[in-house]
Amino acid sequence: MSSWLKRAALAAAAVTLVGAVGLEASMAQGDPIAQRKALMKSNGDAMKAIKAVVDAKGPTAPVVPEAAKIASNLKSAAAHFPAGSDTGDTKASPDIWKNLDEFKKLDESSTAAAMKLEASAKKGDAAVVAADFGELGKSCGACHQKYRLK
Amino acid sequence: MGLLLRWSGSAVAGLALAAAALAPPAEGQTPDADAIKRGEYIFNAAGCLGCHTDEKNKGPRLAGGRALRTPFGTFHGPNITPDPTHGIGAWTEAQFLRALREGRGADGSHLFPAFPYTSFTGMTDADAKDLWAYLRAQPAVAQPNKPHDLGFPYNIRALMMAWNWLFFSPGEFRPDASPTPELKRGAYLVNALGHCGECHTPRNFFGATRGDMKMAGAVLGDGAVPNLTPDPDTGIGKWSPDDLVELLKSGMTPEGDFVGSEMGEVVANTTGKLTDADRRAIVAYLRSLPPIRHHVRKPAAK
């Protein structure tokens, strides 16, 4: 590779990095409602991607990073529901702050379900991956049923 | 009831025999394991659990108490366990069928259409009897019913006579003449058992569902209930059948989101427990409805 190309690639990488750091920073400083919405959107995209793989019944490797992303998102999810973030443009149920312990437990069990899916995707048995994906979906639904308003 | 419980709850033949010897069941009341099993499917398809169990406060199963808020007041789903005092243990099968068909209590008094007899009236005899068998086999819970909290004049049960005359047409479900068996099954699941229109069809001034706006979506409480007609812009016209089946099965939308609140509950208790064939029938039927352009807007926050 010629040196200018290398430099261009480096510059592009730097821009991406700065962009990413900037985004992280703005997410950290922004309001919790926007943060958790971005996080849930990221989960949705990952679930969508996983469903495509599961439906295709092919190799399960592409599920691994997506499941890992969901697990990592969910690990920090409860932190994005600080007291006082129940009003505004949000579908979060006020019940979250009444039953914070249970809400956190549901978050933890969803995190565990995502990690289980990640592990089974690494092993590569498509039937197990499909079952674990179903379980994760149930876990998502269980929390939304209780704590997400329509 | 103890007999029924033991009968369904125990595989020990000797115990069942002993119980049978103590209290032989009346003619025609022999608990039938197959009927109970079929009845469980009807119970799920008809979504009985949601209103008759106070899940939010971890109330005992089917012992009632869940609050249903409406513009007419707050209804509390009653106890439908076989408890003879507080539940429906003293009811006969005929009284139960009449409740489903005509909206009448055991004593003949008018039930309010918060209980969707307006939909259940379409239930077949066989399904209604299986449902009865299932309910009889559940544990009795001696929990008193909470009274409804209704304003005047909605608290006058006798007024339901006029309401029924105006808005209620009783009778077993009659599907349209032409459709395929799948569409017939879908129509039965949606209209008679699932009572989807009780939330997805808007209501008129008197609280009756509007025939001209069937499944076109409605405002319920402070939320918008989606339009289920195949209109491409405001309904399900752009959804693929597979996406709709998936939503009914797992609650997952094409965006990877999961439905919450009431529909989350419906997926968990009802549509997620149906057979794939029944889910497909529901979707086929909804897609066969006349498209109605109706954008449901969420009411402004108070």
Side-chain angles (χ1 to χ4, degrees):
Chain A
M1 201 190 283
S2 67
S3 66
W4 74 267
L5 250 177
K6 257 186 217 163
R7 264 180 234 164
L10 252 161
V15 166
T16 312
L17 194 70
V18 167
V21 168
L23 185 71
E24 288 273 305
S26 73
M27 274 189 56
Q29 287 163 3
D31 67 312
I33 293 177
Q35 288 166 12
R36 65 201 188 211
K37 275 186 181 172
L39 190 146
M40 288 298 169
K41 170 82 174 63
S42 159
N43 282 347
D45 290 345
M47 287 300 276
K48 206 163 110 180
I50 297 171
K51 182 171 190 299
V53 177
V54 168
D55 285 349
K57 294 183 175 127
T60 63
V63 171
V64 177
E66 303 294 344
K69 184 163 82 184
I70 294 170
S72 135
N73 280 341
L74 289 179
K75 247 178 220 162
S76 69
H80 295 294
F81 293 82
S85 66
D86 54 338
T87 51
D89 184 17
T90 178
K91 289 182 187 169
S93 162
D95 288 347
I96 291 173
W97 292 274
K98 285 184 205 151
N99 310 317
L100 210 53
D101 285 346
E102 195 206 38
F103 178 69
K104 282 180 183 161
K105 249 181 220 154
L106 284 173
D107 183 26
E108 280 161 19
S109 74
S110 294
T111 310
M115 287 164 74
K116 189 158 177 263
L117 175 62
E118 185 191 349
S120 62
K122 274 180 191 159
K123 283 184 190 152
D125 185 334
V128 178
V129 168
D132 286 350
F133 173 62
E135 287 306 312
L136 175 58
K138 264 189 200 155
S139 186
C140 297
C143 195
H144 284 195
Q145 186 188 329
K146 284 199 137 168
Y147 294 118
R148 210 265 303 269
L149 304 175
K150 50 177 176 284
Chain B
M1 191 50 231
L3 167 65
L4 279 169
L5 275 179
R6 262 171 260 176
W7 199 90
S8 65
S10 165
V12 183
L15 187 61
L17 274 175
L22 284 172
E27 191 65 30
Q29 296 210 335
T30 315
D32 171 349
D34 289 339
I36 294 170
K37 205 165 167 46
R38 288 194 306 269
E40 184 181 10
Y41 192 82
I42 304 302
F43 173 85
N44 290 334
C48 312
L49 187 80
C51 284
H52 289 286
T53 304
D54 192 3
E55 286 192 292
K56 209 169 175 179
N57 297 312
K58 302 189 168 56
R61 192 167 181 273
L62 301 183
R66 184 219 182 107
L68 185 69
R69 285 180 189 82
T70 76
F72 307 99
T74 299
F75 295 91
H76 296 280
N79 184 334
I80 55 166
T81 73
D83 184 79
T85 313
H86 305 293
I88 56 174
W91 287 44
T92 65
E93 184 186 72
Q95 285 169 336
F96 178 70
L97 261 64
R98 186 177 63 167
L100 295 176
R101 289 284 154 64
E102 299 171 28
R104 302 287 199 103
D107 59 359
S109 64
H110 286 274
L111 302 176
F112 293 111
F115 170 61
Y117 64 89
T118 41
S119 298
F120 293 160
T121 191
M123 211 183 285
T124 64
D125 261 353
D127 284 356
K129 286 176 178 173
D130 289 343
L131 178 58
W132 176 243
Y134 173 77
L135 289 176
R136 299 293 280 179
Q138 303 312 302
V141 180
Q143 172 167 290
N145 285 318
K146 279 188 202 159
H148 300 317
D149 181 13
L150 307 176
F152 180 83
Y154 309 117
N155 51 356
I156 306 173
R157 284 189 186 268
L159 283 185
M160 289 312 303
M161 272 161 70
W163 192 93
N164 283 336
W165 182 70
L166 283 169
F167 302 117
F168 175 52
S169 36
E172 210 167 288
F173 179 68
R174 302 247 183 292
D176 299 337
S178 52
T180 62
E182 185 182 48
L183 287 175
K184 277 184 192 163
R185 178 69 181 161
Y188 179 66
L189 286 162
V190 167
N191 295 312
L193 294 184
H195 59 285
C196 310
E198 303 289 339
C199 289
H200 286 279
T201 301
R203 292 173 186 273
N204 66 16
F205 177 75
F206 297 98
T209 51
R210 285 175 54 185
D212 60 330
M213 290 291 281
K214 191 171 163 148
M215 305 296 165
V219 170
L220 208 65
D222 53 6
V225 184
N227 180 346
L228 299 184
T229 75
D231 182 68
D233 298 320
T234 63
I236 58 168
K238 284 182 180 147
W239 286 61
S240 77
D242 282 349
D243 285 346
L244 290 163
V245 169
E246 182 65 42
L247 188 145
L248 294 176
K249 186 178 179 182
S250 68
M252 182 171 169
T253 73
E255 289 79 43
D257 189 7
F258 282 79
V259 293
S261 283
E262 285 86 350
M263 195 61 203
E265 193 180 318
V266 170
V267 170
N269 293 340
T270 299
T271 59
K273 292 185 171 170
L274 300 177
T275 63
D276 257 326
D278 273 354
R279 279 190 284 265
R280 296 210 165 270
I282 289 171
V283 167
Y285 170 70
L286 291 176
R287 285 166 51 88
S288 78
L289 288 173
I292 298 173
R293 197 179 164 77
H294 181 223
H295 182 63
V296 192
R297 279 182 192 80
K298 201 178 155 165
K302 274 158 256 167

